[in-house]
Amino acid sequence: MEQDTQDFAAEARSFLDAHATKAPDRAARTWGQGDDSMAYFSSLPPEQEAEQVRRAREWQRIRYENGFGWITGPPEYGGRGLTPVHDLVYDAIESEYDVPDTGVLGVVGLGMIGPTILAHAQPHIKERWLPAMYRGDAIACQLFSEPDAGSDLASVTTRAVREGEEWVLSGQKVWTSVAQHSDVGLALTRTDPEAPKHRGITAFLVPMDAPGVEVRPLRQMTGGADFNEVFLTDVRVPDDHRLGEIDGGWTVALTTLMNERDTVGSEGAGPVAAALSPDHLSALMRATWTWDDRALRARLGELLVDVLATGHLNARAQRSLRAGVAPGPERSVAKLMYGQNLTRAAHFVGDCLGPRLIADTGQWGTYAWSELLLATPALRILGGTEEIMKNILAERVLGLPKEARA
Amino acid sequence: MSADASGLRELRASVGEFMAAKSPEEAVRKLMESEPRFDPDVWSQAADQLRLPALAIPEEYGGDGFGPVELGVVLEEMGRALFCSPFFSTVVLAAQALLASGDSEACARHLPGIAAGRTMATLAVAEEGGSWDPALISTRAVADADGGWKLSGRKGFVIDGTTADLILVVARTVAGPSFFAVDRAAPGVTAEAMETLDATRTLARLTFDAVPATPVGPDGAGGRIMAKVLDVASVGLAAEQAGGARRCLEMSVEHARTRHQFGRPIGSFQAVKHKCADMLVQVELAEASAREAALLAAGDAPDFPVAAAVAHACCSRAYMVAAMENIQVHGGIGFTWEHPAHLYFRRAKSSQLLFGGPAIYHERLLDRLGI
């Protein structure tokens, strides 16, 4: 039976009141006070990062034990059996509280891999992994991209060869977020090199502690190592860890990618919220004595039009979802705009700051923006490059003909 | 009163059908070279059959009492079809100015005629420079000995200024900018059509020489009323722009699917595909900003003035981008007189600059945000 959203909201509030404290509004924070970090990607020292992961797991467990860990999940696997609307209601309420960041579990594992396991795994594998993931015990990562297969994912060459009831996997994956913390990974492998490339792929769940799995941090241009390279050398995986049919892995991959597009670009809050906050940007103009600069003001106006219009787009998509209408292309458009808005904001701020963006004067809220600036090129690439997103909009939304593909 | 989702769909469908039947490209082309630049028969049908002028006028003044959301749907469809009619000047500008004035006597006098489609009206704010800044208004109104008012000065960029029966004029009195109602047939009114970039929407220069005028709303309240009307009008214009932008995108997509070059449809080339995707992004943002602003207006939300400024700027840019890229996707054919692309290009540029243009509306947005 579906629970009334108002009762549900009240229940969520009393849970959060009991386990968390109300958060200050990040976007409205006072200039010159508090943490001035503008990091989109984390670049914490290992011990701090480990502590963050521990806190994320703990908060996920508390959520799960109180019925808010997997709101839309089917009860037979430990979910609450409610609707995406309840999910939205909970997220909106939780955003008012100061709770540990659970991105390490949520963005890839619960946002993308969980729904894929639910759709394609055998029942006993769902029982084995799903409650563990939603309880915060198991972190999952996505072993999709390879050095030679980035946006063109169907070109994966990691081999999987059957040996009795097991498969032997060998190859290299790259751009794997949270692999260093993961307990399980979803791998795309090549099982039929002769077949047309979309048809010779098979998907497997790989326990990350299996012999032959090696994770190496990949340092990015931001200086941190958010991503990893994952080397698979004769890794043995039982056949029941296969998702979907043999050579039918592309269908499995599409489930994950669809969920990826819903996940990326929805991170409206976080430390970089201030970058798109009118109040914060106006305070920055005052602090940098660029308040009266007509050219900068005009650019700020243009930027804020897009920021606020993107907000309207998201608000309308959420309202559609609440009304039970499948959203249109809004999410893809919002993802594109989110990357572009943050990029323009970082460059706008740079033009206000001048030299204070290129060398640290020690002044609050100045050099800190260099962290965001260095993250912006990635925002136009991760989760599907801008070019791929535009192809999707043109082909699937506008119905333009596909490009001839090999 | 407000329509639910299915009511809005029905409204959109019936207005869309009416536009397809009454405002196809041939009709638009014929009207843009005739005088008046609309078809009085079609206007009567819009009023009698669809009750379009009555839609957003309160029931107490003879209207149907719907709000900005329903008005937005109608304007999107009109914008798609470049519908030549006095709808924008009469229903969006003049009727909204009367409502914003809070002058119930003036509303009772003029709105029923507007709702019935009998009265055509317009709003005269800008002067030579085209600005809506109350500080730049030099048209004057002075009280005469017998308690009446006489208005003198020149206005420019008055939409449908040569055909409107009723002209609402912003003029300066001792108390400041104030609204007046003027009968176009009154002695001392001269109306002269201006040559326009967008042939589907006429603009006129009006000269007032000691013309008898009736005050609308409180003396000196013109600045406040103008700000309110500008918000409502720019959201109406935004809906029209979003509709026009959507139409440009559709034309481009249709052409890119069917036009073959180098042995394949041009829409299969990534360069063309991405142009269309960029247009889609603009159109989606435009629709979201226009519709959200209309929704906030309907709810009388405190965020409305910010949303109105966002919608105006976002839709102005989106329509201009879509109209330009539409010509590019069509190639040489898009640059001909015979192809409708230039009609949308002209409307897009003209609408973008109608209330002052980007420099002014970006500054207005910052002002509304307290920046």
Coordinates of all heavy atoms in Angstrom, one line a residue, chain A residues 56-57 60 63 69-70 72-73 87 101-119 126 129-144 175-187 205-206 208 243 252 255-264:
Chain A
A56 N 30.2 7.8 5.9 CA 29.2 7.6 4.9 C 28.5 6.3 5.1 O 27.3 6.2 5.1 CB 29.8 7.7 3.5
R57 N 29.3 5.2 5.4 CA 28.7 3.9 5.6 C 27.8 3.9 6.8 O 26.7 3.3 6.8 CB 29.8 2.9 5.8 CG 30.6 2.5 4.6 CD 31.7 1.5 5.0 NE 32.6 1.1 3.9 CZ 32.4 0.0 3.1 NH1 31.4 -0.7 3.2 NH2 33.3 -0.3 2.2
Q60 N 24.5 5.7 6.1 CA 23.7 4.9 5.2 C 23.0 3.8 6.0 O 21.8 3.4 5.8 CB 24.5 4.3 4.1 CG 23.7 3.5 3.1 CD 22.6 4.3 2.4 OE1 22.7 5.5 2.2 NE2 21.5 3.6 2.0
R63 N 20.2 5.3 8.1 CA 19.1 5.5 7.2 C 18.3 4.2 6.9 O 17.1 4.1 7.0 CB 19.6 6.0 5.8 CG 19.7 7.5 5.6 CD 20.1 7.6 4.1 NE 20.6 8.9 3.8 CZ 21.5 9.1 2.9 NH1 22.1 8.1 2.2 NH2 21.9 10.4 2.5
G69 N 16.8 4.1 3.7 CA 18.0 3.8 2.9 C 17.7 3.4 1.5 O 18.5 3.6 0.6
W70 N 16.5 2.8 1.3 CA 16.2 2.4 -0.1 C 14.7 2.5 -0.3 O 13.9 1.5 -0.2 CB 16.6 0.9 -0.3 CG 16.6 0.5 -1.8 CD1 16.6 1.3 -2.8 CD2 16.7 -0.8 -2.3 NE1 16.6 0.6 -4.0 CE2 16.7 -0.7 -3.7 CE3 16.8 -2.1 -1.7 CZ2 16.8 -1.9 -4.5 CZ3 16.9 -3.2 -2.5 CH2 16.9 -3.1 -3.9
T72 N 12.7 3.4 -2.7 CA 11.9 2.8 -3.8 C 12.2 1.3 -4.0 O 11.6 0.7 -4.9 CB 12.3 3.5 -5.1 OG1 13.7 3.4 -5.3 CG2 12.0 5.0 -5.1
G73 N 13.0 0.7 -3.2 CA 13.4 -0.7 -3.4 C 12.3 -1.7 -3.1 O 11.5 -1.4 -2.2
D87 N 11.0 9.4 -2.7 CA 12.4 9.6 -2.7 C 12.7 11.1 -2.8 O 13.6 11.6 -2.0 CB 12.9 8.9 -4.0 CG 14.2 8.1 -3.7 OD1 14.6 8.0 -2.5 OD2 14.8 7.6 -4.7
D101 N 28.2 13.2 3.9 CA 28.1 13.0 2.5 C 28.2 11.6 2.1 O 29.2 10.9 2.4 CB 29.2 13.8 1.8 CG 29.3 13.7 0.3 OD1 28.4 13.0 -0.3 OD2 30.2 14.3 -0.3
T102 N 27.2 11.0 1.5 CA 27.2 9.6 1.2 C 27.5 9.3 -0.3 O 27.2 8.3 -0.9 CB 25.9 8.9 1.5 OG1 24.8 9.7 0.9 CG2 25.7 8.8 3.0
G103 N 28.1 10.3 -1.0 CA 28.4 10.2 -2.4 C 29.2 9.0 -2.8 O 28.9 8.4 -3.8
V104 N 30.1 8.6 -1.9 CA 30.9 7.4 -2.2 C 30.1 6.2 -2.4 O 30.5 5.3 -3.2 CB 32.0 7.3 -1.1 CG1 31.3 7.0 0.3 CG2 33.0 6.2 -1.4
L105 N 29.0 6.1 -1.7 CA 28.1 4.9 -1.9 C 27.0 5.2 -2.9 O 26.6 4.3 -3.6 CB 27.3 4.7 -0.5 CG 28.1 4.2 0.7 CD1 27.6 4.9 1.9 CD2 27.8 2.7 0.8
G106 N 26.6 6.5 -2.9 CA 25.3 6.7 -3.6 C 25.4 7.0 -5.1 O 24.6 6.4 -5.9
V107 N 26.4 7.8 -5.5 CA 26.4 8.2 -6.9 C 26.5 7.1 -7.9 O 25.7 6.9 -8.8 CB 27.5 9.2 -7.2 CG1 27.6 9.7 -8.6 CG2 27.4 10.5 -6.3
V108 N 27.5 6.2 -7.7 CA 27.6 5.1 -8.6 C 26.9 3.8 -8.1 O 26.0 3.3 -8.8 CB 29.1 4.7 -8.8 CG1 29.3 3.5 -9.7 CG2 29.9 5.9 -9.3
G109 N 27.2 3.4 -6.9 CA 26.6 2.1 -6.4 C 25.1 2.1 -6.3 O 24.5 1.3 -6.9
L110 N 24.6 3.0 -5.5 CA 23.1 3.0 -5.3 C 22.4 3.7 -6.4 O 21.3 3.3 -6.8 CB 22.8 3.7 -4.0 CG 23.5 3.1 -2.8 CD1 23.0 3.7 -1.5 CD2 23.5 1.6 -2.7
G111 N 23.1 4.7 -7.1 CA 22.4 5.4 -8.2 C 22.4 4.6 -9.5 O 21.4 4.7 -10.2
M112 N 23.4 3.8 -9.7 CA 23.6 3.2 -11.1 C 23.6 1.7 -11.0 O 23.0 1.0 -11.8 CB 24.8 3.8 -11.8 CG 24.6 5.2 -12.2 SD 26.0 6.3 -12.0 CE 27.3 5.6 -13.0
I113 N 24.5 1.1 -10.1 CA 24.7 -0.3 -10.1 C 23.5 -1.0 -9.4 O 23.1 -2.1 -9.9 CB 26.0 -0.7 -9.4 CG1 27.2 0.2 -9.9 CG2 26.3 -2.2 -9.5 CD1 27.7 -0.1 -11.2
G114 N 23.0 -0.5 -8.4 CA 21.9 -1.1 -7.6 C 20.7 -1.4 -8.6 O 20.3 -2.5 -8.7
P115 N 20.2 -0.3 -9.3 CA 19.1 -0.6 -10.2 C 19.5 -1.6 -11.3 O 18.6 -2.3 -11.8 CB 18.9 0.8 -10.9 CG 19.4 1.8 -9.9 CD 20.6 1.1 -9.2
T116 N 20.7 -1.7 -11.7 CA 21.1 -2.6 -12.7 C 21.1 -4.1 -12.2 O 20.6 -5.0 -12.8 CB 22.5 -2.3 -13.3 OG1 22.6 -0.9 -13.6 CG2 22.9 -3.1 -14.5
I117 N 21.6 -4.2 -11.0 CA 21.5 -5.6 -10.3 C 20.1 -6.0 -10.2 O 19.7 -7.1 -10.5 CB 22.2 -5.6 -8.9 CG1 23.7 -5.3 -9.1 CG2 22.0 -6.9 -8.2 CD1 24.5 -5.2 -7.8
L118 N 19.2 -5.0 -9.7 CA 17.8 -5.3 -9.5 C 17.2 -5.8 -10.8 O 16.4 -6.7 -10.9 CB 17.1 -4.1 -9.0 CG 15.7 -4.3 -8.6 CD1 15.5 -5.3 -7.4 CD2 15.1 -2.9 -8.1
A119 N 17.5 -5.2 -11.9 CA 16.9 -5.5 -13.2 C 17.4 -6.8 -13.8 O 16.7 -7.4 -14.6 CB 17.1 -4.3 -14.2
K126 N 20.8 -11.0 -6.0 CA 20.2 -9.8 -5.5 C 20.2 -9.9 -4.0 O 20.5 -8.9 -3.3 CB 18.7 -9.7 -6.0 CG 18.7 -9.5 -7.5 CD 17.2 -9.3 -7.9 CE 17.0 -9.4 -9.4 NZ 15.6 -9.4 -9.9
W129 N 23.7 -9.2 -2.7 CA 24.4 -7.8 -2.7 C 23.5 -6.6 -2.4 O 23.9 -5.7 -1.8 CB 25.0 -7.6 -4.2 CG 26.2 -8.4 -4.4 CD1 26.3 -9.5 -5.2 CD2 27.5 -8.2 -3.8 NE1 27.6 -10.0 -5.2 CE2 28.3 -9.2 -4.3 CE3 28.0 -7.3 -2.9 CZ2 29.7 -9.3 -3.9 CZ3 29.3 -7.4 -2.5 CH2 30.2 -8.4 -3.0
L130 N 22.2 -6.7 -2.8 CA 21.4 -5.5 -2.7 C 21.2 -5.0 -1.2 O 21.5 -3.8 -1.0 CB 20.0 -5.6 -3.4 CG 20.1 -5.7 -4.9 CD1 18.8 -6.0 -5.5 CD2 20.7 -4.4 -5.5
P131 N 20.8 -5.9 -0.3 CA 20.6 -5.3 1.1 C 22.0 -4.8 1.6 O 22.1 -3.8 2.3 CB 20.1 -6.5 1.9 CG 19.5 -7.5 0.9 CD 20.4 -7.2 -0.4
A132 N 23.1 -5.5 1.3 CA 24.4 -5.1 1.7 C 24.8 -3.7 1.2 O 25.3 -2.9 1.9 CB 25.5 -6.1 1.3
M133 N 24.4 -3.5 -0.1 CA 24.8 -2.2 -0.7 C 23.9 -1.1 0.0 O 24.4 0.0 0.3 CB 24.5 -2.2 -2.2 CG 25.6 -2.9 -3.0 SD 25.2 -3.2 -4.7 CE 24.9 -1.5 -5.3
Y134 N 22.6 -1.3 0.1 CA 21.7 -0.2 0.6 C 21.9 0.0 2.1 O 21.5 1.0 2.7 CB 20.3 -0.5 0.2 CG 20.1 -0.2 -1.3 CD1 20.2 -1.2 -2.2 CD2 19.9 1.1 -1.7 CE1 20.1 -1.0 -3.6 CE2 19.8 1.4 -3.1 CZ 19.9 0.3 -4.0 OH 19.8 0.6 -5.3
R135 N 22.5 -1.0 2.8 CA 22.8 -0.9 4.2 C 24.2 -0.2 4.4 O 24.6 0.1 5.6 CB 22.8 -2.3 4.8 CG 22.6 -2.3 6.3 CD 22.6 -3.8 6.8 NE 22.5 -3.8 8.2 CZ 23.5 -3.7 9.1 NH1 24.7 -3.6 8.6 NH2 23.3 -3.7 10.4
G136 N 24.9 0.0 3.4 CA 26.2 0.7 3.5 C 27.3 -0.3 3.7 O 28.5 0.2 3.9
D137 N 27.1 -1.6 3.7 CA 28.1 -2.5 3.9 C 29.0 -2.7 2.7 O 30.2 -3.0 2.8 CB 27.6 -3.9 4.4 CG 26.9 -3.8 5.7 OD1 27.2 -2.8 6.5 OD2 26.1 -4.6 6.1
A138 N 28.4 -2.7 1.5 CA 29.1 -2.9 0.3 C 29.0 -1.7 -0.6 O 28.0 -1.2 -0.9 CB 28.5 -4.1 -0.4
I139 N 30.2 -1.3 -1.0 CA 30.3 -0.2 -2.0 C 30.6 -0.8 -3.4 O 31.3 -1.8 -3.5 CB 31.5 0.8 -1.6 CG1 31.1 1.4 -0.2 CG2 31.7 1.9 -2.6 CD1 32.2 2.4 0.3
A140 N 29.9 -0.2 -4.4 CA 30.0 -0.8 -5.7 C 30.6 0.3 -6.7 O 30.4 1.5 -6.5 CB 28.6 -1.2 -6.2
C141 N 31.3 -0.2 -7.7 CA 31.8 0.7 -8.7 C 31.5 0.1 -10.1 O 31.0 -1.0 -10.2 CB 33.3 0.9 -8.5 SG 34.3 -0.7 -8.7
Q142 N 31.8 0.9 -11.1 CA 31.4 0.6 -12.5 C 32.6 0.4 -13.3 O 33.4 1.3 -13.5 CB 30.6 1.9 -13.0 CG 30.0 1.8 -14.3 CD 29.7 3.2 -14.8 OE1 30.4 4.2 -14.5 NE2 28.6 3.3 -15.5
L143 N 32.9 -0.9 -13.7 CA 34.1 -1.2 -14.5 C 33.7 -1.2 -16.0 O 33.6 -2.3 -16.6 CB 34.6 -2.6 -14.0 CG 35.0 -2.6 -12.5 CD1 35.2 -4.1 -12.1 CD2 36.2 -1.8 -12.2
F144 N 33.5 0.0 -16.5 CA 33.0 0.1 -17.9 C 34.1 0.6 -18.8 O 34.6 -0.1 -19.7 CB 31.8 1.0 -18.0 CG 30.5 0.4 -17.6 CD1 30.4 -0.7 -16.8 CD2 29.3 1.0 -18.0 CE1 29.2 -1.3 -16.5 CE2 28.1 0.4 -17.7 CZ 28.0 -0.7 -16.9
W175 N 39.1 5.3 -15.3 CA 38.1 6.3 -14.9 C 37.1 5.7 -13.9 O 36.0 6.1 -13.8 CB 37.3 6.8 -16.1 CG 38.2 7.4 -17.1 CD1 38.2 7.0 -18.4 CD2 39.1 8.5 -17.0 NE1 39.2 7.8 -19.1 CE2 39.7 8.7 -18.2 CE3 39.5 9.3 -15.9 CZ2 40.7 9.6 -18.4 CZ3 40.5 10.2 -16.1 CH2 41.1 10.4 -17.3
T176 N 37.6 4.7 -13.0 CA 36.7 4.1 -12.1 C 36.6 4.9 -10.8 O 37.6 4.8 -10.0 CB 37.1 2.6 -11.9 OG1 37.4 2.0 -13.2 CG2 36.1 1.9 -11.2
S177 N 35.5 5.6 -10.6 CA 35.3 6.3 -9.3 C 35.1 5.2 -8.2 O 34.5 4.2 -8.4 CB 34.0 7.1 -9.4 OG 34.1 8.0 -10.4
V178 N 35.6 5.6 -7.0 CA 35.4 4.8 -5.8 C 35.9 3.4 -5.8 O 35.6 2.6 -4.9 CB 34.0 4.9 -5.2 CG1 33.6 6.3 -5.0 CG2 33.0 4.1 -6.0
A179 N 36.7 3.0 -6.9 CA 37.2 1.6 -6.9 C 38.0 1.3 -5.7 O 37.9 0.1 -5.2 CB 38.0 1.4 -8.2
Q180 N 38.7 2.2 -5.2 CA 39.6 2.0 -4.0 C 38.8 1.6 -2.8 O 39.4 1.1 -1.8 CB 40.6 3.1 -3.8 CG 39.9 4.4 -3.2 CD 39.3 5.3 -4.3 OE1 38.7 4.9 -5.2 NE2 39.5 6.7 -4.0
H181 N 37.5 2.0 -2.7 CA 36.7 1.6 -1.5 C 35.7 0.5 -1.8 O 34.9 0.2 -1.0 CB 35.9 2.9 -1.1 CG 36.8 4.1 -0.9 ND1 37.8 4.1 0.1 CD2 36.8 5.3 -1.5 CE1 38.4 5.3 0.0 NE2 37.8 6.0 -1.0
S182 N 35.7 0.0 -3.0 CA 34.6 -0.8 -3.5 C 34.8 -2.3 -3.1 O 35.9 -2.8 -3.0 CB 34.4 -0.8 -5.0 OG 33.9 0.5 -5.3
D183 N 33.6 -2.9 -2.8 CA 33.6 -4.3 -2.5 C 33.2 -5.1 -3.7 O 33.4 -6.3 -3.8 CB 32.5 -4.5 -1.4 CG 32.9 -3.7 -0.2 OD1 33.8 -4.1 0.6 OD2 32.3 -2.6 -0.1
V184 N 32.5 -4.5 -4.7 CA 32.1 -5.2 -5.9 C 32.1 -4.2 -7.0 O 31.9 -3.0 -6.9 CB 30.7 -5.8 -5.6 CG1 29.6 -4.7 -5.5 CG2 30.3 -6.8 -6.7
G185 N 32.3 -4.8 -8.3 CA 32.3 -3.9 -9.4 C 31.5 -4.6 -10.5 O 31.4 -5.8 -10.6
L186 N 30.9 -3.7 -11.4 CA 30.1 -4.3 -12.5 C 31.0 -4.1 -13.7 O 31.3 -3.0 -14.1 CB 28.8 -3.5 -12.6 CG 27.9 -3.9 -13.9 CD1 27.5 -5.3 -13.8 CD2 26.7 -3.0 -14.0
A187 N 31.4 -5.2 -14.3 CA 32.3 -5.2 -15.4 C 31.7 -5.5 -16.7 O 30.9 -6.5 -16.8 CB 33.5 -6.1 -15.2
L205 N 29.3 -9.3 -12.2 CA 29.7 -8.6 -10.9 C 31.0 -9.2 -10.5 O 31.1 -10.5 -10.3 CB 28.6 -8.9 -9.9 CG 27.3 -8.1 -10.0 CD1 26.3 -8.6 -8.9 CD2 27.7 -6.6 -9.7
V206 N 31.9 -8.4 -10.2 CA 33.3 -8.9 -9.8 C 33.5 -8.5 -8.4 O 33.6 -7.3 -8.0 CB 34.4 -8.2 -10.7 CG1 35.7 -8.7 -10.3 CG2 34.1 -8.5 -12.2
M208 N 35.6 -7.3 -5.5 CA 36.9 -6.5 -5.7 C 38.0 -7.1 -4.9 O 39.2 -6.8 -5.1 CB 36.7 -5.1 -5.4 CG 35.7 -4.3 -6.3 SD 36.3 -4.2 -8.0 CE 37.4 -2.8 -7.9
L243 N 25.4 -11.0 -15.2 CA 24.1 -10.3 -15.3 C 23.6 -10.4 -16.7 O 24.3 -10.0 -17.6 CB 24.3 -8.8 -14.9 CG 24.7 -8.4 -13.5 CD1 24.4 -6.9 -13.2 CD2 23.9 -9.3 -12.5
V252 N 22.4 -4.7 -20.4 CA 22.7 -4.4 -19.0 C 23.4 -3.0 -18.9 O 23.0 -2.2 -18.0 CB 23.6 -5.5 -18.4 CG1 24.0 -5.2 -17.0 CG2 23.0 -6.9 -18.6
T255 N 21.0 -0.1 -19.0 CA 20.3 0.2 -17.7 C 21.2 1.1 -16.9 O 20.7 2.1 -16.3 CB 20.0 -1.1 -17.0 OG1 19.4 -2.0 -17.9 CG2 19.2 -0.9 -15.8
T256 N 22.4 0.8 -16.8 CA 23.3 1.6 -15.9 C 23.5 3.0 -16.5 O 23.4 3.9 -15.7 CB 24.7 0.9 -15.9 OG1 24.6 -0.5 -15.6 CG2 25.6 1.5 -14.8
L257 N 23.7 3.1 -17.8 CA 23.9 4.4 -18.4 C 22.7 5.3 -18.2 O 22.8 6.5 -18.0 CB 24.3 4.3 -19.8 CG 25.6 3.5 -20.1 CD1 25.9 3.4 -21.6 CD2 26.8 4.3 -19.4
M258 N 21.5 4.7 -18.3 CA 20.3 5.5 -18.2 C 20.2 6.1 -16.8 O 19.9 7.2 -16.6 CB 19.0 4.6 -18.4 CG 18.2 5.1 -19.6 SD 17.1 3.8 -20.1 CE 16.3 3.3 -18.6
N259 N 20.6 5.2 -15.8 CA 20.6 5.7 -14.4 C 21.7 6.7 -14.2 O 21.6 7.6 -13.3 CB 20.7 4.5 -13.5 CG 19.4 3.8 -13.4 OD1 18.3 4.3 -13.0 ND2 19.3 2.5 -13.8
E260 N 22.8 6.6 -14.9 CA 23.9 7.5 -14.8 C 23.4 8.9 -15.1 O 23.7 9.9 -14.5 CB 25.1 7.1 -15.7 CG 26.2 8.1 -15.7 CD 27.5 7.5 -16.3 OE1 27.4 6.6 -17.1 OE2 28.6 7.9 -15.9
R261 N 22.7 9.0 -16.2 CA 22.3 10.3 -16.7 C 21.3 11.0 -15.7 O 21.2 12.2 -15.6 CB 21.7 10.3 -18.1 CG 22.7 9.8 -19.0 CD 22.5 10.1 -20.5 NE 23.8 9.6 -21.1 CZ 23.9 8.5 -21.6 NH1 22.9 7.6 -21.8 NH2 25.1 8.1 -22.1
D262 N 20.6 10.1 -15.0 CA 19.7 10.7 -13.9 C 20.5 11.1 -12.7 O 20.0 12.0 -12.0 CB 18.7 9.6 -13.5 CG 17.5 9.7 -14.4 OD1 17.4 10.6 -15.3 OD2 16.6 8.8 -14.3
T263 N 21.6 10.5 -12.5 CA 22.4 10.7 -11.3 C 23.3 12.0 -11.4 O 23.3 12.9 -10.6 CB 23.2 9.5 -10.9 OG1 22.4 8.4 -10.9 CG2 23.8 9.7 -9.5
V264 N 24.1 12.0 -12.5 CA 25.0 13.1 -12.7 C 24.2 14.3 -13.1 O 23.2 14.3 -13.8 CB 26.0 12.7 -13.9 CG1 26.9 13.9 -14.1 CG2 26.8 11.5 -13.5

